[in-house]
Amino acid sequence: MSDELRGKKVAILATDGFEQPELIEPRKALDEAGAQTIIISPKPDVIKAWDGEQKNWGETVKVDLELGQADAEDFDALLLPGGVMNPDKLRVLNEAVEFVRAFYEAGKPIAAICHGPQILIDADVVRGHKLTSY
């Protein structure tokens, strides 16, 4: 296993309806590279994945930190999984938009998958940048 991310803390911002492989697989890769991944959500306890292949609810994931207690300064990078429901629920929450904007303003890496960039648009941090999207 690589340890090139050892000592790095990566925030994963998600809520119910995240696309299952878009959180599970990147988190696994980050963990294997030595990063410490922290699931942050506006919901306490657990969040449910949407399994697009099965067209039904999928796995549950334990929430490590509620959004209201999270501070972007405590992290080195941010991962925004997609799915249709997840970004739609997050981008209407001012607290989530501000959390994302703080990463951008600090110049920290942000990875946004599939529909994940929608919250970047609401945070007004994509103007003047080239992005790929779903």
Side-chain angles (χ1 to χ4, degrees), residues 25-45:
E25 296 304 317
R27 183 182 200 190
K28 180 180 172 187
L30 288 164
D31 289 343
E32 288 176 355
Q36 178 186 6
T37 54
I38 309 294
I39 302 294
I40 298 171
S41 180
K43 285 190 63 190
D45 304 321

Side-chain angles (χ1 to χ4, degrees), residues 47-98:
I47 52 177
K48 294 184 292 188
W50 181 255
D51 185 344
E53 287 186 20
Q54 299 298 319
K55 308 269 190 266
N56 206 340
W57 293 107
E59 297 180 29
T60 59
V61 173
K62 181 185 173 299
V63 173
D64 298 308
L65 184 63
E66 286 188 57
L67 179 58
Q69 299 176 339
D71 187 340
E73 288 184 22
D74 296 335
F75 299 93
D76 299 295
L78 174 63
L79 171 64
L80 300 169
V84 175
M85 291 177 264
N86 177 55
D88 275 350
K89 290 178 181 179
L90 292 173
R91 69 189 193 150
V92 298
L93 299 174
N94 188 53
E95 196 171 35
V97 171
E98 292 300 322

Side-chain angles (χ1 to χ4, degrees), residues 101-113:
R101 187 178 294 124
F103 278 86
Y104 177 81
E105 290 175 351
K108 295 179 180 182
I110 301 171
I113 303 170

Side-chain angles (χ1 to χ4, degrees), residues 11-22:
I12 302 174
L13 180 60
T15 194
D16 287 335
F18 66 87
E19 187 69 30
Q20 187 164 301
E22 295 175 16

